[in-house]
Amino acid sequence: MTTHRGWIGLLFLATVAWGQAAKPAAPPAPPKAATATSAAGTNSAGATTLGPGTAVITIPGMCDRPPADKSKAADCKTVVTRAEFEQLVAAVAPTIAPPARKQLATQYGMALVMVHKAHEMGLDQGPRFQELMRVARIGVLSKELSQSLQEQAQKISDKEVETYYHNNESAFQEVDLQRIFVPRSKELADTKDKPADDAAKKAQQESEDAMKKLAETLRGRAAAGEDFEKLQAESIAASGFKGKPPTKLGKVRRSSLPADQAEVFNLKAGETSQVITIPNGYLVYQLGEKDTLPLDKVREEIVSTLSSQRMQDAMQTIQQSATPQLNPGYFAEAADGPQGHAPVGEAAKPAAKPAEPGPK
């Protein structure tokens, strides 16, 4: 979510950059005062509404050319109309909640005061300011391009959705899965007298061999129709594993399983998988009912997938259209500091004198 402080930042990137680039020495033009004729109107129910020219932010005493006669200073003011403020909202915070508009208006008003003061101090002139505006323009255009590409990427037709669905039906399959987990080795009891390294390695290997054999045995019994809850309990008892892994996983999609386990979706209903080795043990799956989700339930998912892919492709095309080439010599020099010169921003230090020989 964009913060209110961020809105103001975006505002200045979007408005000041182009304005100053076009007329470097020109001060930011203050909003115009509202006219009486456009101050109000009525809606369809007959209630009074504020017209587009109605002042919604007023900053008394602030204007670019205050009158020479100080007695008329009270008439000097900057006004932001409803139309101008809503144009601002549409540009920098189109999704802002109505109650938050007051806070944005307050911050915008204070930002105008600060900009006015900066202009009086001449901070909007000179090469440093122009360079900042150039960089700000780059940032705004980059953001606008990204937003435009995103909007285009989200225009997915029904035909595209249907084509993707039919070409990738396996991705939308659901199956009822049962699973047995067998730990890779037994939990060894803690003892004060630890065996020697060779004995410990031998015990570990025997433990792993026993659990692998158990996994094969339980797999055969599962395929023969034995209850998975019972088989899982035997695995836990034999290994001393602390915990109770679930056996009934319910409806599972292919994308929910790791790639090296997705092969179980190729089984038929009622079939049991071979033992699958994972880093911490072994798994045995059994498939239940298999079905495919209807298009209407996965439409939004498909739109999101296609939009993301289209956005990625568009960005890749742009990035590959021109590749920036950096001068390695310059950046190596910049990292180490040019020989005989101090890095930018640091004064050169005198070379250290060689140490005088001391008494031996």
Side-chain angles (χ1 to χ4, degrees), residues 80-94:
V80 179
T81 66
R82 173 176 181 169
E84 291 166 339
F85 181 69
E86 291 182 351
Q87 184 177 6
L88 162 72
V89 172
V92 301

Side-chain angles (χ1 to χ4, degrees), residues 165 169-170 172-174 290-294:
Y165 175 77
E169 283 193 20
S170 62
F172 307 110
Q173 287 182 342
E174 277 190 335
K290 181 186 294 188
D291 55 29
T292 302
L293 292 169

Side-chain angles (χ1 to χ4, degrees), residues 146-155:
S146 179
Q147 183 173 337
S148 176
L149 293 176
Q150 189 67 55
E151 291 173 354
Q152 292 297 319
Q154 291 173 350
K155 296 178 180 179

Side-chain angles (χ1 to χ4, degrees), residues 211-336:
M211 297 312 294
K212 184 175 182 180
K213 183 177 180 180
L214 176 62
E216 293 288 354
T217 300
L218 294 181
R219 186 267 166 196
R221 292 167 59 185
E226 289 197 42
D227 182 67
F228 267 57
E229 290 283 356
K230 174 187 174 183
L231 298 176
Q232 182 65 77
E234 290 187 27
S235 169
I236 297 304
S239 64
F241 182 79
K242 295 178 177 61
K244 186 179 180 181
T247 57
K248 297 184 183 301
L249 304 183
K251 293 283 188 180
V252 177
R253 287 178 58 179
R254 184 183 294 265
S255 57
S256 301
L257 293 181
D260 58 352
Q261 299 174 33
E263 63 187 50
V264 302
F265 275 77
N266 299 328
L267 300 174
K268 296 179 181 179
E271 288 187 332
T272 304
S273 72
Q274 298 299 317
V275 174
I276 299 175
T277 303
I278 59 175
N280 63 336
Y282 307 94
L283 296 173
V284 176
Y285 285 99
Q286 188 175 83
L287 267 70
E289 182 182 353
K290 181 186 294 188
D291 55 29
T292 302
L293 292 169
L295 176 58
D296 62 329
K297 287 191 175 181
V298 295
R299 180 178 296 276
E300 290 186 6
E301 176 185 334
I302 294 175
V303 169
S304 177
T305 299
L306 292 175
S307 296
S308 297
Q309 185 60 54
R310 184 176 290 181
M311 180 66 178
Q312 182 178 343
D313 292 343
M315 289 299 296
Q316 188 174 12
T317 299
I318 293 172
Q319 291 168 357
Q320 291 178 348
S321 65
T323 303
Q325 296 180 349
L326 308 184
N327 185 327
Y330 169 79
F331 289 100
E333 182 182 83
D336 300 334

